[in-house]
Amino acid sequence: MSEEKYPDYKSAIASSGKSICEPIDVGDAEYWVPAQRLEKMLNDELCGKSLAGLALRTRSKIVKSAVCEALGYPVPKSFKRTQPRFPGQQLDVYVQKTLNLQIWNEQLAVARRYAIIQVSPDDVITRVKVVGGPQLAVLDTTGTITTKYQARLEPSSQTHELVSSQDTQSMMQHIGKGVTLGPAVSPVQQPETGGMLPIREIFDRLSPLVGRRFPDPGADQDRNRGAALHRLVCQQLGYQRYEDNGQFPDIPNQLLELKLQTSPTIDLGLVQPTSEERLDVGRIGSLQPRHCDTRYALFCAVTNGVQVTLTHLFVTTGADFFRRFRRFEGNVTNGKIQIPLPRDFFDR
């Protein structure tokens, strides 16, 4: 069908008063927007729109609002957590600054349309590609969902919380008191008996960081923000230098994992903190540490887009983690499919 022969879907939907959740029969001549036309309408409305400086959640809402306006739907006050996000049009929306498409907590749906929105390095929408589930399935080389543990952080009025007053019993004999981390000690070295700070001392040394500020590298630069915190923590603990080998935990020499939270959801990756599975680190004496022996330092933070300010500190063992932080129930794990999009995906 040529473009001029397409019905004016936008006007029809706007006149109908339909919401994005109201079901529409597939192929409905008046309200169901075919994929090819859908792609053009979204490109016409969204391309050139700047998302610069927006936090990820704000960016998501702005984009979904723009999709509503492009299709003639009223913009809801809030977007329900439906799957897909636009049930009436069987449409999901993904904003991509990279070519790694991540689909959370569900398999690809055959009947669904996926609007993949390309964003340039300076956060301007450059292209929209609408594809069906079967097309994406061809690109999904694994077909499996990667599981991921998550929990919720709910701060109290206290800005400093030592959740675990002492380390796990198996760690106690390997903990030293008054440990001095000399110039030869690296944060990525293997832990040693007598070279590990008690969890209370970790808490005491890190407590002055609450209230500290550091430059915000950008709204979508979570990894770089985490690296900035990592550097601060190394300094505060007494290390003479900063090193990061990208492995778990962040500071192997202290069996210390760091989390920087600008939202309530704590992403734990593949690690369940209370697990008694053995850690992939060297033995401490005769002890092979377990995940539950790991110490966690969680920092809450706020950002104004220019600077990140640390507002709260929590220190806990893995064993006590879910005593303070609520694990997501129902879905104990949250999963995602990762699909590497071809470099020419948006040009096809």
Side-chain angles (χ1 to χ4, degrees):
M1 184 183 291
S2 61
E3 289 189 5
E4 61 271 18
K5 291 183 179 178
Y6 278 113
D8 185 353
Y9 296 108
K10 182 175 180 177
S11 296
I13 291 170
S15 299
S16 73
K18 291 180 181 294
S19 73
I20 60 173
C21 293
E22 195 163 336
I24 297 172
D25 290 336
V26 175
D28 184 289
E30 199 168 3
Y31 303 120
W32 176 263
V33 186
Q36 184 179 3
R37 187 61 181 172
L38 184 58
E39 182 174 290
K40 185 175 190 315
M41 291 169 71
L42 295 180
N43 271 296
D44 288 348
E45 186 74 25
L46 272 65
C47 285
K49 193 175 188 64
S50 175
L51 306 175
L54 299 178
L56 292 180
R57 286 191 174 188
T58 304
R59 185 179 76 172
S60 174
K61 186 172 183 179
I62 293 292
V63 168
K64 284 182 284 194
S65 298
V67 171
C68 286
E69 292 166 353
L71 301 182
Y73 286 106
V75 177
K77 289 183 179 178
S78 62
F79 287 88
K80 297 179 180 177
R81 291 184 175 277
T82 56
Q83 291 178 330
R85 282 288 192 266
F86 294 81
Q89 294 290 339
Q90 285 293 306
L91 175 68
D92 259 333
V93 175
Y94 292 86
V95 179
Q96 292 295 129
K97 203 169 184 177
T98 69
L99 293 173
N100 180 32
L101 176 64
Q102 300 181 349
I103 295 178
W104 287 85
N105 296 328
E106 60 175 342
Q107 298 287 352
L108 292 170
V110 173
R112 194 169 305 173
R113 287 94 65 83
Y114 297 83
I116 316 298
I117 298 172
Q118 183 186 49
V119 176
S120 68
D122 54 350
D123 295 308
V124 175
I125 294 176
T126 52
R127 289 284 297 274
V128 181
K129 183 86 171 176
V130 176
V131 296
Q135 291 169 271
L136 278 184
V138 171
L139 303 175
D140 177 18
T141 55
T142 65
T144 57
I145 292 179
T146 302
T147 58
K148 187 175 181 179
Y149 292 98
Q150 292 183 316
R152 184 173 179 81
L153 193 158
E154 294 169 342
S156 67
S157 57
Q158 298 180 59
T159 56
H160 301 69
E161 289 188 43
L162 178 59
V163 178
S164 306
S165 59
Q166 61 183 25
D167 286 282
T168 57
Q169 193 62 39
S170 58
M171 288 280 288
M172 296 292 285
Q173 64 179 308
H174 302 288
I175 298 297
K177 292 184 178 178
V179 174
T180 299
L181 302 171
V185 182
S186 162
V188 299
Q189 283 179 359
Q190 295 298 310
E192 297 178 350
T193 298
M196 301 177 64
L197 297 164
I199 193 168
R200 179 176 289 279
E201 191 166 344
I202 289 176
F203 175 76
D204 290 340
R205 292 193 185 193
L206 298 186
S207 287
L209 288 179
V210 174
R212 286 281 294 271
R213 297 176 179 174
F214 57 86
D216 189 341
D220 56 356
Q221 297 293 312
D222 289 345
R223 188 179 296 273
N224 288 331
R225 278 200 295 258
L229 174 67
H230 196 159
R231 183 182 296 276
L232 280 176
V233 167
C234 285
Q235 293 172 351
Q236 199 67 26
L237 289 177
Y239 289 102
Q240 305 296 305
R241 61 184 187 274
Y242 161 69
E243 288 184 83
D244 178 11
N245 61 9
Q247 302 298 313
F248 179 91
D250 289 313
I251 302 180
N253 189 242
Q254 294 296 324
L255 283 188
L256 179 64
E257 174 71 0
L258 306 175
K259 296 290 181 187
L260 178 61
Q261 298 294 139
T262 55
S263 72
T265 300
I266 306 170
D267 284 324
L268 298 167
L270 301 178
V271 174
Q272 182 168 209
T274 53
S275 169
E276 296 188 355
E277 292 288 326
R278 294 177 178 180
L279 268 176
D280 185 18
V281 298
R283 287 193 170 191
I284 310 173
S286 60
L287 173 70
Q288 184 62 50
R290 304 160 301 172
H291 281 287
C292 59
D293 297 319
T294 303
R295 290 85 70 81
Y296 286 78
L298 294 88
F299 288 87
C300 287
V302 294
T303 177
N304 59 7
V306 179
Q307 285 193 312
V308 177
T309 303
L310 303 176
T311 61
H312 295 71
L313 168 66
F314 306 83
V315 176
T316 181
T317 62
D320 290 337
F321 193 92
F322 293 125
R323 188 164 62 83
R324 175 59 181 84
F325 307 109
R326 181 168 60 84
R327 179 169 49 187
F328 283 166
E329 300 295 345
N331 257 346
V332 175
T333 60
N334 285 272
K336 63 182 176 183
I337 295 174
Q338 298 198 70
I339 301 175
L341 300 175
R343 291 187 179 278
D344 62 347
F345 176 78
F346 289 97
D347 300 320
R348 293 181 173 185

